[in-house]
Amino acid sequence: MLAEITRQDTRAERTRAELAQQTQVGEALVRGLVRAQLALALRLSLVVAIGLGGLPWLFAIAPALGRTTIAGVNLPWLLLGVASFPFLIAVGWAYVRLAERNEQDFTDLVQRPER
Amino acid sequence: MGNEFVVPAIVAVTLVTVGIGFYGLRLARTTSDFLVASRAISPTWNAAAIGGEYLSAASFLGIAGLVLKYGVDVLWYPVGFAAGYLALLLFVAAPLRRSGAFTLPDFCELRLGSRRLRILATAFVIFIGWLYLVPQLQGAGLTLTTVTGSPYPLGALLVAGVVTANVALGGMRAITFVQAFQYWLKLTALAVPVIFLALQWQADGRPAVTPPDGPTFRAATTVVVEHRATLTLPDGDIREVRPGDELTFAAGDPVPAVSGAATDANDWLLPSTAGADDRGLFATYSLILATFLGTMGLPHVLVRFYTNPDGAAARRTTLVVLALVGLFYLLPTLYGVLGRIYTPQLLLSGQTDAVVVLLPGAALGDGLVGRLLAALVAAGAFAAFLSTSSGLLTSVAGVISTDVLGRGSVRGFRLATVIAGGVPAVLALHVSGLDVSQVVGLAFAVAASSFCPLLVLGIWWRGLTDVGATAGVVVGGGAAIGAVLVTVLGPPLSGWPATLIAQPAAWTVPLAFTVMVAVSMATRRRAPADIAATMLRLHTPEALRM
């Protein structure tokens, strides 16, 4: 058990050294991680841009939507005043999960014993 | 008015804040003390503290006032204030924490190694901080006037004085606990009264928010006009009113239409539609852009991120903040809507920002419950002014003492605090006519047009150069500042110029990004030599750091 930990430590140290010295391998790995994280952030921004950002436009071209009521409350009030917040939180939650998974993949990749 | 619980409640909130500020004097003054104090704190507490500092007068008072006045279109303010934390989470939170930057100027120096850019960033931090402080003091002045009848300058100066003295002597910085407490106080102060208000609304036979014949006064009301306006009376007469005019209405009288507010039920209830109102749509998108992208550039928000132990924790904390802030923003809208029924006179007096403070008394009457709830709301409002202004003042004073006055001694920090608190106090006396949330909206627009592109490009794009960053901040942020100055000091505008100036983000944000990218590409050779190491530091997971 102890030996196992030590071996992992040295391996992580070696990888870290490799990354820090900016060998071509290390550099390519970091670029890949940055690209993956950025793509994730952009994809989720797109979800918000369409899901929320589309609303003013939708209300503008389809005024009937604004007049629709649910339980006596107009739809725009419900969507903006209530539903938008759980939506934002859900997107945030998905981001944290996926970003951590990207980082885990990266860690696994650089810590693989034989590369 | 005449509520014996209000003043003790406000005094109690202030004393608790100041008391722990003084206690903090012995605990912490330096950045490292701040860190040590914060490391022991769980993400939930830390998130509550961030939320406590973030929910300002604009959130507590301003949103309800805007909803009362303008209706559904301004619901984008709370949505945007919350969504700003999502943008922060997606693009900034973890890498910024890993960068080790404590303030925005620090980040400029770390990422681009430019002293000049650091100075520019310092100027923007100070400008945004002041622009954001003014409406806090304004809200304080307004609230004190509303609940005690004191003159407006007294309230604004009093809060400015208390906060300045508190920050100069003790600082709020280490006091995560107070700010976390203030988050829960603010939430309670809106959530508990809203239950009673909803019950009262039921008991009153669920009066319509937008009755077919237009809003009416529920009780005999005397209105003292605060701002010049044009009233359209129900019989079609048009009347100019000026500050000081007194208008008397009997119970059941219709509420006259007020220039500048959405008095017509449909304007208020329904979103702006295409064709007739392109400008409304532009303003909405501009507001969305400013609030979504501005949060990450607010000085007091970024400083707080340093209290997370690492990048992964910064992400989790931000998610909790998003949830806490989202929970809070469900409430102000209800006050604005109920204000339409119970306090329509605020549309006439122009004091729509007072709706949160006045609504419990107006709806529930002068009974014990009504008075206690009114005091609770007033206490929550003061928690909002104190926590946000303390956070802002600490940030602004911090950059003034280190970047303007030279090395940060305690003496220097105190002098900086007095400067940082004095200027907005003077400004607050001159802008009492502006809506609290609108001034805050302008601060967001400036942040979104300067620091947002700087942070996003700095974190994700290797090609950013110091010259490009400087040019983008000067052009984009400068344009936004110009728009603010015209709005606050300039002549009244109309038509498209008015819209472009009042909600500038939709053109200043793309402008800032474009200039920053174009100039960086033109000066490609100036990209920092250590960019690979910087990217490694910003993006490598903690598991590999050891």
Side-chain angles (χ1 to χ4, degrees):
Chain A
M1 188 61 198
L2 202 64
E4 172 72 6
I5 291 169
T6 324
R7 198 159 62 233
Q8 272 187 357
D9 277 2
T10 46
R11 197 159 61 219
E13 240 155 66
R14 200 186 60 214
T15 327
R16 192 171 166 257
E18 193 160 343
L19 288 172
Q21 286 159 14
Q22 293 149 38
T23 60
Q24 282 193 334
V25 179
E27 175 72 10
L29 285 173
V30 174
R31 276 182 192 269
L33 172 68
V34 172
R35 203 165 297 148
Q37 297 288 49
L38 181 61
L40 172 64
L42 289 175
R43 273 202 302 274
L44 289 176
S45 319
L46 195 67
V47 170
V48 176
I50 294 170
L52 277 180
L55 290 180
W57 178 78
L58 201 63
F59 295 146
I61 59 159
L65 217 59
R67 290 176 216 281
T68 315
T69 57
I70 296 173
V73 184
N74 286 58
L75 192 61
W77 288 83
L78 284 179
L79 288 177
L80 293 180
V82 182
S84 58
F85 301 108
F87 171 70
L88 290 171
I89 295 166
V91 174
W93 180 78
Y95 173 76
V96 171
R97 268 185 64 104
L98 295 171
E100 285 183 354
R101 188 183 298 170
N102 281 347
E103 292 185 344
Q104 189 57 51
D105 289 350
F106 177 79
T107 311
D108 291 348
L109 193 68
V110 294
Q111 286 192 335
R112 219 165 37 191
E114 74 286 19
R115 192 169 38 234
Chain B
M1 271 159 251
N3 181 341
E4 73 275 26
F5 300 118
V6 167
V7 173
I10 292 173
V11 170
V13 169
T14 312
L15 282 184
V16 167
T17 309
V18 172
I20 301 183
F22 273 103
Y23 183 64
L25 178 64
R26 289 187 292 148
L27 282 182
R29 186 166 297 113
T30 64
T31 342
S32 59
D33 288 340
F34 180 33
L35 286 175
V36 174
S38 311
R39 288 270 162 89
I41 288 160
S42 74
T44 318
W45 273 104
N46 204 5
I50 295 175
E53 198 169 82
Y54 184 63
L55 297 173
S56 65
S59 302
F60 197 90
L61 302 177
I63 291 171
L66 286 178
V67 170
L68 169 64
K69 195 164 164 187
Y70 299 109
V72 69
D73 282 336
V74 295
L75 290 183
W76 286 105
Y77 275 96
V79 173
F81 289 158
Y85 270 100
L86 183 64
L88 187 68
L89 172 63
L90 295 187
F91 292 103
V92 176
L96 184 78
R97 176 61 194 90
R98 286 171 184 151
S99 79
F102 183 57
T103 63
L104 281 158
D106 285 351
F107 178 79
C108 294
E109 191 153 13
L110 276 165
R111 170 66 176 79
L112 295 161
S114 161
R115 281 291 304 168
R116 219 169 11 158
L117 184 60
R118 188 186 172 107
I119 294 165
L120 182 67
T122 302
F124 270 84
V125 165
I126 295 172
F127 184 85
I128 294 170
W130 280 346
L131 193 58
Y132 210 110
L133 267 165
V134 169
Q136 312 305 321
L137 302 177
Q138 212 186 319
L142 174 73
T143 306
L144 215 60
T145 307
T146 312
V147 296
T148 66
S150 67
Y152 165 81
L154 182 72
L157 292 178
L158 201 67
V159 167
V162 167
V163 172
T164 306
N166 194 28
V167 171
L169 293 177
M172 283 269 296
R173 195 165 264 189
I175 320 301
T176 305
F177 177 76
V178 182
Q179 294 194 327
F181 162 75
Q182 280 175 333
Y183 168 79
W184 294 109
L185 176 62
K186 282 180 251 189
L187 187 71
T188 313
L190 286 192
V192 172
V194 108
I195 297 169
F196 286 88
L197 291 169
L199 290 174
Q200 182 65 37
W201 179 70
Q202 290 277 358
D204 287 343
R206 308 171 66 141
V209 179
T210 51
D213 304 330
T216 52
F217 290 100
R218 297 180 57 81
T221 310
T222 302
V223 182
V224 180
V225 177
E226 297 275 335
H227 303 300
R228 183 184 285 272
T230 308
L231 306 184
T232 309
L233 301 171
D235 53 13
D237 275 2
I238 290 178
R239 186 174 162 194
E240 299 282 338
V241 291
R242 0 174 128 259
D245 284 2
E246 263 194 27
L247 307 167
T248 310
F249 300 91
D253 276 1
V255 180
V258 188
S259 57
T263 320
D264 178 60
N266 278 339
D267 281 355
W268 185 82
L269 190 64
L270 304 176
S272 22
T273 48
D277 205 4
D278 281 344
R279 274 184 278 133
L281 205 56
F282 176 88
T284 304
Y285 274 113
S286 212
L287 174 64
I288 291 174
L289 214 55
T291 48
F292 278 41
L293 300 179
T295 305
M296 66 176 75
L298 297 177
H300 63 305
V301 169
L302 274 196
V303 166
R304 269 272 160 211
F305 271 77
Y306 208 65
T307 58
N308 292 295
D310 58 39
R315 258 197 308 250
R316 283 160 182 269
T317 303
T318 315
L319 182 59
V320 180
V321 175
L322 179 59
L324 292 176
V325 166
L327 179 66
F328 177 87
Y329 283 133
L330 295 171
L331 301 169
T333 308
L334 295 172
Y335 281 79
V337 170
L338 289 171
R340 210 64 197 177
I341 300 170
Y342 292 105
T343 55
Q345 69 273 18
L346 294 177
L347 289 170
L348 297 184
S349 70
Q351 282 193 312
T352 41
D353 282 329
V355 60
V356 168
V357 181
L358 289 178
L359 191 59
L364 304 169
D366 287 336
L368 183 65
V369 176
R371 279 179 293 153
L372 280 174
L373 291 177
L376 178 62
V377 171
F382 265 75
F385 313 141
L386 291 171
S387 54
T388 304
S389 344
S390 302
L392 280 163
L393 197 57
T394 313
S395 307
V396 175
V399 299
I400 289 183
S401 75
T402 53
D403 286 301
V404 180
L405 298 178
R407 289 257 53 85
S409 64
V410 172
R411 245 182 110 91
F413 182 77
R414 286 185 178 158
L415 176 63
T417 309
V418 173
I419 300 170
V423 174
V426 172
L427 291 176
L429 300 181
H430 294 281
V431 293
S432 62
L434 292 168
D435 280 315
V436 165
S437 270
Q438 268 162 346
V439 180
V440 165
L442 289 170
F444 274 83
V446 175
S449 321
S450 53
F451 289 131
C452 164
L454 183 67
L455 284 167
V456 170
L457 293 176
I459 287 170
W460 299 102
W461 187 43
R462 288 163 188 257
L464 185 70
T465 66
D466 54 345
V467 180
T470 310
V473 170
V474 166
V475 174
I481 287 183
V484 171
L485 294 180
V486 172
T487 307
V488 178
L489 307 170
L493 300 166
S494 63
W496 270 105
T499 312
L500 290 173
I501 293 294
Q503 295 287 358
W507 61 277
T508 53
V509 174
L511 180 69
F513 270 99
T514 312
V515 170
M516 219 174 261
V517 171
V519 176
S520 291
M521 284 166 79
T523 56
R524 196 169 301 161
R525 269 181 298 169
R526 291 186 62 97
D530 61 347
I531 178 65
T534 310
M535 291 308 262
L536 180 73
R537 179 164 159 201
L538 294 182
H539 296 282
T540 315
E542 279 72 24
L544 290 172
R545 307 205 153 191
M546 302 267 139

